[in-house]
Amino acid sequence: LESKGDRIEDFFRSRESSAVLTISWAEKAPIEIIDDAHELFTKYSGTQLSRQDLAAMAEEFRTRALKVQDYKCIREGRFLTPRIKTHPRYASDIKPALASKRIVDIGCCLGADGRQLVVDGASVDNFYACDVEQAFWTLGLEMFGDAQSRFSECFTVANVLKADFADRLAELNQKRFPGAADFSWLSSPTHPCKALFDVAYMGSVLHLFSEADVETALRTVFNMLNPGGMFFGGCVGAAESGVATFSGTAKRELEEGTNPESQHLQYIKDGSSGSRRVMLRFLHSPESLSRVLTSVGFVGVEVRQHQSELVRGMQQRLDPSRQMGFLRFFAVKPSSSL
């Protein structure tokens, strides 16, 4: 089989003879390849690229990813950075246990965090990933050059807000390991929801949901964790919880029925351009997110707020008077849960 390095070198050879698309967003900034991103790409792919060449490759994949969904983290070029490494409980609680745990990455995007888990010792056979966009996963396979690897089989399209979420992961399990335990009863309304995972990660997802949908997602995760299972991740938040309006969203978000948040699209009046459609999302505070995690059954809940350049940019666009930050959370399903 062709190696990861060969496929990445092919990318650069083809790039020399093809036009590079550009992004029309005024907020576009050059992609900075930080140490964690460069280290992940080098260790995982086995390819030695300079930061300049890696940034050039990331620029092209950013253009293509933005055609799928216009998320701020993609526009800022952060999809290559394994943000999971900077979680305050990763080094102490998550990383030491990776080798023996079954893990799911919910909202995996291009999959940088999942590949970091593998580099840090997670078994590919015990790793699962899902997103509402197949195209993100496909781009990640091309970017990291592992489309022919076992890692490529870890993914399924699944929406944590949908009733069939557990079934999609159960089907993936059966596809990867024919004859394995049948988990099709996971979301059966007539059967208690049993556990499948030891660790669940949700990197930058919760701020895309309404308040009610956040609780739905957290309950789903709780039900799918084994007793003693760990749940961690991050999301944009605010010092005071409340609804935020996000304009300039991706075209697919603006087409009713194509996004789980479409029911939260509303028209508002804009004095300069008439009516425009915006996305209503709920930003939790550390206190409110702690409460909802506790209310669904988690214990040992920790939520910390961190400042970031990404969030500061969003704050200026949404409400300069609102104190926003990036929330990092960690919680455990009690060992005594039934």
Side-chain angles (χ1 to χ4, degrees):
L1 292 177
E2 187 182 17
S3 70
K4 296 175 187 174
D6 290 339
R7 288 191 292 275
I8 292 166
E9 290 174 5
D10 287 343
F11 166 82
F12 278 100
R13 284 195 293 268
S14 64
R15 189 173 181 273
E16 293 174 357
S17 60
S18 61
V20 178
L21 299 175
T22 58
I23 300 172
S24 61
W25 291 96
E27 296 178 51
K28 178 188 174 184
I31 292 179
E32 178 184 359
I33 303 298
I34 66 172
D35 289 345
D36 285 346
H38 192 257
E39 181 182 2
L40 170 63
F41 191 86
T42 301
K43 286 185 175 181
Y44 182 84
S45 70
T47 304
Q48 296 291 333
L49 286 184
S50 68
R51 290 174 190 266
Q52 182 179 4
D53 284 344
L54 187 54
M57 185 175 76
E59 284 275 6
E60 185 151 331
F61 279 97
R62 172 170 66 176
T63 299
R64 295 166 64 185
L66 282 171
K67 292 179 180 295
V68 180
Q69 282 284 13
D70 175 18
Y71 291 136
K72 182 76 171 178
C73 57
I74 292 176
R75 200 184 321 156
E76 295 286 341
R78 299 169 189 264
F79 52 87
L80 189 59
T81 299
R83 287 178 287 178
I84 197 170
K85 284 185 66 175
T86 60
H87 191 283
R89 297 294 291 268
Y90 183 73
S92 60
D93 296 85
I94 307 299
K95 186 176 178 180
L98 287 177
S100 61
K101 302 299 183 183
R102 188 186 291 247
I103 308 162
V104 60
D105 182 357
I106 302 171
C108 61
C109 199
L110 273 69
D113 286 319
R115 290 172 174 88
Q116 184 65 55
L117 289 168
V118 171
V119 167
D120 287 340
S123 166
V124 173
D125 288 343
N126 283 335
F127 176 71
Y128 294 71
C130 60
D131 199 284
V132 297
E133 296 288 356
Q134 171 72 53
F136 281 150
W137 184 255
T138 301
L139 286 172
L141 295 176
E142 184 179 347
M143 183 171 66
F144 283 93
D146 56 357
Q148 304 302 316
S149 72
R150 285 181 20 249
F151 187 84
S152 67
E153 302 170 358
C154 298
F155 175 83
T156 189
V157 174
N159 185 336
V160 72
L161 301 180
K162 299 294 187 181
D164 67 352
F165 178 72
D167 285 339
R168 299 287 75 76
L169 289 166
E171 290 169 2
L172 174 63
N173 189 64
Q174 285 291 307
K175 181 178 179 180
R176 295 177 68 190
F177 309 109
D182 180 12
F183 293 102
S184 61
W185 39 255
L186 273 169
S187 59
S188 170
T190 61
H191 197 291
C193 188
K194 294 187 182 289
L196 179 59
F197 297 104
D198 303 303
V199 178
Y201 175 67
M202 193 178 286
S204 292
V205 176
L206 293 179
H207 56 262
L208 303 177
F209 297 157
S210 67
E211 183 176 12
D213 285 345
V214 169
E215 183 172 348
T216 296
L218 298 185
R219 289 191 183 279
T220 297
V221 172
F222 182 86
N223 288 336
M224 295 189 68
L225 279 174
N226 284 310
M230 296 178 286
F231 177 43
F232 73 114
C235 61
V236 177
E240 296 184 7
S241 60
V243 174
T245 59
F246 286 62
S247 60
T249 51
K251 60 181 177 61
R252 288 198 59 183
E253 287 185 329
L254 300 180
E255 297 169 359
E256 292 195 29
T258 63
N259 186 282
E261 281 294 293
S262 61
Q263 66 268 33
H264 305 298
L265 289 168
Q266 295 188 9
Y267 285 101
I268 66 170
K269 281 292 185 182
D270 185 315
S272 61
S273 59
S275 294
R276 61 189 174 96
R277 190 177 269 184
V278 298
M279 181 73 71
L280 300 183
R281 297 166 177 166
F282 190 84
L283 298 185
H284 271 285
S285 67
E287 295 76 19
S288 67
L289 184 55
S290 294
R291 284 195 299 269
V292 70
L293 283 164
T294 301
S295 72
V296 303
F298 285 105
V299 297
V301 174
E302 292 182 7
V303 183
R304 307 180 189 181
Q305 180 166 323
H306 303 264
Q307 292 299 316
S308 73
E309 291 298 327
L310 172 63
V311 173
R312 277 193 284 271
M314 293 177 66
Q315 179 175 337
Q316 291 300 315
R317 185 171 57 145
L318 295 174
D319 184 355
S321 66
R322 193 170 194 178
Q323 185 178 350
M324 296 172 63
F326 196 78
L327 307 185
R328 298 293 186 97
F329 57 83
F330 177 87
V332 177
K333 182 171 181 175
S335 298
S336 59
S337 295
L338 299 179

PDB file of all heavy atoms in Angstrom, residues 146-168:
ATOM      1  N   ASP A 146      -4.153   9.030   5.757  1.00  0.00           N
ATOM      2  CA  ASP A 146      -4.414   7.713   6.363  1.00  0.00           C
ATOM      3  C   ASP A 146      -5.734   7.108   5.904  1.00  0.00           C
ATOM      4  O   ASP A 146      -6.376   6.359   6.639  1.00  0.00           O
ATOM      5  CB  ASP A 146      -4.380   7.811   7.893  1.00  0.00           C
ATOM      6  CG  ASP A 146      -5.347   8.857   8.447  1.00  0.00           C
ATOM      7  OD1 ASP A 146      -6.006   9.552   7.649  1.00  0.00           O
ATOM      8  OD2 ASP A 146      -5.425   8.987   9.680  1.00  0.00           O
ATOM      9  N   ALA A 147      -6.138   7.397   4.665  1.00  0.00           N
ATOM     10  CA  ALA A 147      -7.408   6.894   4.150  1.00  0.00           C
ATOM     11  C   ALA A 147      -7.422   5.375   4.020  1.00  0.00           C
ATOM     12  O   ALA A 147      -8.493   4.767   3.994  1.00  0.00           O
ATOM     13  CB  ALA A 147      -7.727   7.536   2.797  1.00  0.00           C
ATOM     14  N   GLN A 148      -6.248   4.744   3.919  1.00  0.00           N
ATOM     15  CA  GLN A 148      -6.177   3.290   3.782  1.00  0.00           C
ATOM     16  C   GLN A 148      -5.850   2.604   5.110  1.00  0.00           C
ATOM     17  O   GLN A 148      -5.612   1.403   5.136  1.00  0.00           O
ATOM     18  CB  GLN A 148      -5.106   2.928   2.744  1.00  0.00           C
ATOM     19  CG  GLN A 148      -5.307   3.564   1.387  1.00  0.00           C
ATOM     20  CD  GLN A 148      -6.651   3.206   0.774  1.00  0.00           C
ATOM     21  OE1 GLN A 148      -7.046   2.045   0.823  1.00  0.00           O
ATOM     22  NE2 GLN A 148      -7.336   4.177   0.211  1.00  0.00           N
ATOM     23  N   SER A 149      -5.883   3.331   6.190  1.00  0.00           N
ATOM     24  CA  SER A 149      -5.504   2.766   7.488  1.00  0.00           C
ATOM     25  C   SER A 149      -6.740   2.305   8.258  1.00  0.00           C
ATOM     26  O   SER A 149      -7.880   2.613   7.897  1.00  0.00           O
ATOM     27  CB  SER A 149      -4.752   3.813   8.315  1.00  0.00           C
ATOM     28  OG  SER A 149      -5.658   4.811   8.762  1.00  0.00           O
ATOM     29  N   ARG A 150      -6.522   1.576   9.355  1.00  0.00           N
ATOM     30  CA  ARG A 150      -7.629   1.162  10.216  1.00  0.00           C
ATOM     31  C   ARG A 150      -8.292   2.347  10.874  1.00  0.00           C
ATOM     32  O   ARG A 150      -9.473   2.295  11.227  1.00  0.00           O
ATOM     33  CB  ARG A 150      -7.115   0.178  11.280  1.00  0.00           C
ATOM     34  CG  ARG A 150      -6.868  -1.183  10.691  1.00  0.00           C
ATOM     35  CD  ARG A 150      -6.389  -2.250  11.628  1.00  0.00           C
ATOM     36  NE  ARG A 150      -6.608  -2.070  13.033  1.00  0.00           N
ATOM     37  CZ  ARG A 150      -5.636  -1.842  13.920  1.00  0.00           C
ATOM     38  NH1 ARG A 150      -4.390  -1.720  13.509  1.00  0.00           N
ATOM     39  NH2 ARG A 150      -5.898  -1.747  15.186  1.00  0.00           N
ATOM     40  N   PHE A 151      -7.561   3.435  11.035  1.00  0.00           N
ATOM     41  CA  PHE A 151      -8.159   4.623  11.643  1.00  0.00           C
ATOM     42  C   PHE A 151      -9.326   5.136  10.802  1.00  0.00           C
ATOM     43  O   PHE A 151     -10.284   5.683  11.338  1.00  0.00           O
ATOM     44  CB  PHE A 151      -7.093   5.722  11.794  1.00  0.00           C
ATOM     45  CG  PHE A 151      -7.576   6.918  12.571  1.00  0.00           C
ATOM     46  CD1 PHE A 151      -7.532   6.933  13.954  1.00  0.00           C
ATOM     47  CD2 PHE A 151      -8.081   8.042  11.915  1.00  0.00           C
ATOM     48  CE1 PHE A 151      -7.986   8.038  14.676  1.00  0.00           C
ATOM     49  CE2 PHE A 151      -8.529   9.141  12.617  1.00  0.00           C
ATOM     50  CZ  PHE A 151      -8.481   9.143  14.009  1.00  0.00           C
ATOM     51  N   SER A 152      -9.262   4.958   9.503  1.00  0.00           N
ATOM     52  CA  SER A 152     -10.324   5.455   8.623  1.00  0.00           C
ATOM     53  C   SER A 152     -11.658   4.777   8.898  1.00  0.00           C
ATOM     54  O   SER A 152     -12.710   5.290   8.535  1.00  0.00           O
ATOM     55  CB  SER A 152      -9.940   5.250   7.161  1.00  0.00           C
ATOM     56  OG  SER A 152      -9.891   3.870   6.843  1.00  0.00           O
ATOM     57  N   GLU A 153     -11.622   3.600   9.545  1.00  0.00           N
ATOM     58  CA  GLU A 153     -12.836   2.833   9.806  1.00  0.00           C
ATOM     59  C   GLU A 153     -13.506   3.209  11.120  1.00  0.00           C
ATOM     60  O   GLU A 153     -14.535   2.632  11.483  1.00  0.00           O
ATOM     61  CB  GLU A 153     -12.484   1.342   9.836  1.00  0.00           C
ATOM     62  CG  GLU A 153     -11.843   0.840   8.543  1.00  0.00           C
ATOM     63  CD  GLU A 153     -11.280  -0.559   8.683  1.00  0.00           C
ATOM     64  OE1 GLU A 153     -11.360  -1.111   9.811  1.00  0.00           O
ATOM     65  OE2 GLU A 153     -10.766  -1.099   7.688  1.00  0.00           O
ATOM     66  N   CYS A 154     -12.955   4.194  11.837  1.00  0.00           N
ATOM     67  CA  CYS A 154     -13.452   4.535  13.174  1.00  0.00           C
ATOM     68  C   CYS A 154     -14.667   5.445  13.145  1.00  0.00           C
ATOM     69  O   CYS A 154     -15.264   5.717  14.201  1.00  0.00           O
ATOM     70  CB  CYS A 154     -12.353   5.241  13.980  1.00  0.00           C
ATOM     71  SG  CYS A 154     -10.893   4.247  14.278  1.00  0.00           S
ATOM     72  N   PHE A 155     -15.065   5.928  11.978  1.00  0.00           N
ATOM     73  CA  PHE A 155     -16.020   7.035  11.890  1.00  0.00           C
ATOM     74  C   PHE A 155     -17.394   6.600  11.416  1.00  0.00           C
ATOM     75  O   PHE A 155     -17.535   5.683  10.594  1.00  0.00           O
ATOM     76  CB  PHE A 155     -15.482   8.087  10.930  1.00  0.00           C
ATOM     77  CG  PHE A 155     -16.431   9.224  10.653  1.00  0.00           C
ATOM     78  CD1 PHE A 155     -16.526  10.293  11.522  1.00  0.00           C
ATOM     79  CD2 PHE A 155     -17.255   9.202   9.527  1.00  0.00           C
ATOM     80  CE1 PHE A 155     -17.405  11.340  11.273  1.00  0.00           C
ATOM     81  CE2 PHE A 155     -18.129  10.242   9.272  1.00  0.00           C
ATOM     82  CZ  PHE A 155     -18.211  11.316  10.147  1.00  0.00           C
ATOM     83  N   THR A 156     -18.423   7.304  11.917  1.00  0.00           N
ATOM     84  CA  THR A 156     -19.759   7.209  11.356  1.00  0.00           C
ATOM     85  C   THR A 156     -20.429   8.577  11.439  1.00  0.00           C
ATOM     86  O   THR A 156     -20.100   9.395  12.307  1.00  0.00           O
ATOM     87  CB  THR A 156     -20.621   6.173  12.096  1.00  0.00           C
ATOM     88  OG1 THR A 156     -21.847   5.981  11.382  1.00  0.00           O
ATOM     89  CG2 THR A 156     -20.950   6.617  13.520  1.00  0.00           C
ATOM     90  N   VAL A 157     -21.346   8.833  10.529  1.00  0.00           N
ATOM     91  CA  VAL A 157     -22.160  10.041  10.606  1.00  0.00           C
ATOM     92  C   VAL A 157     -23.222   9.820  11.677  1.00  0.00           C
ATOM     93  O   VAL A 157     -23.986   8.844  11.611  1.00  0.00           O
ATOM     94  CB  VAL A 157     -22.832  10.354   9.256  1.00  0.00           C
ATOM     95  CG1 VAL A 157     -23.791  11.528   9.394  1.00  0.00           C
ATOM     96  CG2 VAL A 157     -21.774  10.643   8.201  1.00  0.00           C
ATOM     97  N   ALA A 158     -23.254  10.680  12.665  1.00  0.00           N
ATOM     98  CA  ALA A 158     -24.229  10.551  13.749  1.00  0.00           C
ATOM     99  C   ALA A 158     -24.442  11.906  14.401  1.00  0.00           C
ATOM    100  O   ALA A 158     -23.522  12.719  14.493  1.00  0.00           O
ATOM    101  CB  ALA A 158     -23.762   9.535  14.788  1.00  0.00           C
ATOM    102  N   ASN A 159     -25.658  12.139  14.855  1.00  0.00           N
ATOM    103  CA  ASN A 159     -26.056  13.407  15.466  1.00  0.00           C
ATOM    104  C   ASN A 159     -26.483  13.131  16.898  1.00  0.00           C
ATOM    105  O   ASN A 159     -27.460  12.419  17.139  1.00  0.00           O
ATOM    106  CB  ASN A 159     -27.215  14.002  14.660  1.00  0.00           C
ATOM    107  CG  ASN A 159     -27.612  15.381  15.143  1.00  0.00           C
ATOM    108  OD1 ASN A 159     -27.379  15.730  16.294  1.00  0.00           O
ATOM    109  ND2 ASN A 159     -28.217  16.164  14.268  1.00  0.00           N
ATOM    110  N   VAL A 160     -25.763  13.686  17.855  1.00  0.00           N
ATOM    111  CA  VAL A 160     -26.022  13.417  19.267  1.00  0.00           C
ATOM    112  C   VAL A 160     -27.400  13.885  19.720  1.00  0.00           C
ATOM    113  O   VAL A 160     -27.888  13.459  20.770  1.00  0.00           O
ATOM    114  CB  VAL A 160     -24.913  14.062  20.136  1.00  0.00           C
ATOM    115  CG1 VAL A 160     -25.066  15.584  20.164  1.00  0.00           C
ATOM    116  CG2 VAL A 160     -24.917  13.474  21.554  1.00  0.00           C
ATOM    117  N   LEU A 161     -28.074  14.710  18.916  1.00  0.00           N
ATOM    118  CA  LEU A 161     -29.407  15.178  19.256  1.00  0.00           C
ATOM    119  C   LEU A 161     -30.520  14.289  18.706  1.00  0.00           C
ATOM    120  O   LEU A 161     -31.689  14.501  19.023  1.00  0.00           O
ATOM    121  CB  LEU A 161     -29.618  16.610  18.745  1.00  0.00           C
ATOM    122  CG  LEU A 161     -28.655  17.667  19.269  1.00  0.00           C
ATOM    123  CD1 LEU A 161     -28.984  19.025  18.676  1.00  0.00           C
ATOM    124  CD2 LEU A 161     -28.673  17.717  20.795  1.00  0.00           C
ATOM    125  N   LYS A 162     -30.151  13.322  17.897  1.00  0.00           N
ATOM    126  CA  LYS A 162     -31.145  12.471  17.261  1.00  0.00           C
ATOM    127  C   LYS A 162     -31.356  11.180  18.053  1.00  0.00           C
ATOM    128  O   LYS A 162     -30.455  10.669  18.711  1.00  0.00           O
ATOM    129  CB  LYS A 162     -30.714  12.119  15.833  1.00  0.00           C
ATOM    130  CG  LYS A 162     -30.551  13.320  14.915  1.00  0.00           C
ATOM    131  CD  LYS A 162     -31.866  14.020  14.657  1.00  0.00           C
ATOM    132  CE  LYS A 162     -31.701  15.120  13.609  1.00  0.00           C
ATOM    133  NZ  LYS A 162     -32.965  15.833  13.364  1.00  0.00           N
ATOM    134  N   ALA A 163     -32.580  10.628  17.937  1.00  0.00           N
ATOM    135  CA  ALA A 163     -32.922   9.416  18.678  1.00  0.00           C
ATOM    136  C   ALA A 163     -32.107   8.213  18.239  1.00  0.00           C
ATOM    137  O   ALA A 163     -31.933   7.259  19.007  1.00  0.00           O
ATOM    138  CB  ALA A 163     -34.415   9.122  18.528  1.00  0.00           C
ATOM    139  N   ASP A 164     -31.589   8.232  17.018  1.00  0.00           N
ATOM    140  CA  ASP A 164     -30.844   7.082  16.510  1.00  0.00           C
ATOM    141  C   ASP A 164     -29.336   7.200  16.720  1.00  0.00           C
ATOM    142  O   ASP A 164     -28.565   6.438  16.143  1.00  0.00           O
ATOM    143  CB  ASP A 164     -31.137   6.875  15.026  1.00  0.00           C
ATOM    144  CG  ASP A 164     -30.606   8.015  14.148  1.00  0.00           C
ATOM    145  OD1 ASP A 164     -30.148   9.040  14.696  1.00  0.00           O
ATOM    146  OD2 ASP A 164     -30.651   7.861  12.911  1.00  0.00           O
ATOM    147  N   PHE A 165     -28.906   8.124  17.553  1.00  0.00           N
ATOM    148  CA  PHE A 165     -27.471   8.349  17.747  1.00  0.00           C
ATOM    149  C   PHE A 165     -26.758   7.082  18.213  1.00  0.00           C
ATOM    150  O   PHE A 165     -25.748   6.667  17.631  1.00  0.00           O
ATOM    151  CB  PHE A 165     -27.243   9.475  18.768  1.00  0.00           C
ATOM    152  CG  PHE A 165     -25.797   9.750  19.084  1.00  0.00           C
ATOM    153  CD1 PHE A 165     -24.984  10.377  18.156  1.00  0.00           C
ATOM    154  CD2 PHE A 165     -25.248   9.381  20.305  1.00  0.00           C
ATOM    155  CE1 PHE A 165     -23.648  10.639  18.426  1.00  0.00           C
ATOM    156  CE2 PHE A 165     -23.915   9.636  20.589  1.00  0.00           C
ATOM    157  CZ  PHE A 165     -23.118  10.265  19.654  1.00  0.00           C
ATOM    158  N   ALA A 166     -27.289   6.443  19.249  1.00  0.00           N
ATOM    159  CA  ALA A 166     -26.656   5.228  19.758  1.00  0.00           C
ATOM    160  C   ALA A 166     -26.682   4.114  18.721  1.00  0.00           C
ATOM    161  O   ALA A 166     -25.733   3.335  18.604  1.00  0.00           O
ATOM    162  CB  ALA A 166     -27.348   4.776  21.046  1.00  0.00           C
ATOM    163  N   ASP A 167     -27.754   4.032  17.955  1.00  0.00           N
ATOM    164  CA  ASP A 167     -27.841   2.996  16.924  1.00  0.00           C
ATOM    165  C   ASP A 167     -26.778   3.171  15.856  1.00  0.00           C
ATOM    166  O   ASP A 167     -26.247   2.191  15.326  1.00  0.00           O
ATOM    167  CB  ASP A 167     -29.232   3.014  16.272  1.00  0.00           C
ATOM    168  CG  ASP A 167     -30.296   2.412  17.176  1.00  0.00           C
ATOM    169  OD1 ASP A 167     -29.933   1.645  18.088  1.00  0.00           O
ATOM    170  OD2 ASP A 167     -31.483   2.715  16.982  1.00  0.00           O
ATOM    171  N   ARG A 168     -26.478   4.439  15.500  1.00  0.00           N
ATOM    172  CA  ARG A 168     -25.447   4.663  14.480  1.00  0.00           C
ATOM    173  C   ARG A 168     -24.086   4.139  14.970  1.00  0.00           C
ATOM    174  O   ARG A 168     -23.325   3.556  14.207  1.00  0.00           O
ATOM    175  CB  ARG A 168     -25.338   6.168  14.175  1.00  0.00           C
ATOM    176  CG  ARG A 168     -26.584   6.822  13.620  1.00  0.00           C
ATOM    177  CD  ARG A 168     -26.856   6.425  12.182  1.00  0.00           C
ATOM    178  NE  ARG A 168     -27.377   5.084  12.045  1.00  0.00           N
ATOM    179  CZ  ARG A 168     -28.640   4.729  12.330  1.00  0.00           C
ATOM    180  NH1 ARG A 168     -29.510   5.615  12.766  1.00  0.00           N
ATOM    181  NH2 ARG A 168     -29.041   3.475  12.181  1.00  0.00           N
TER     182      ARG A 168
END
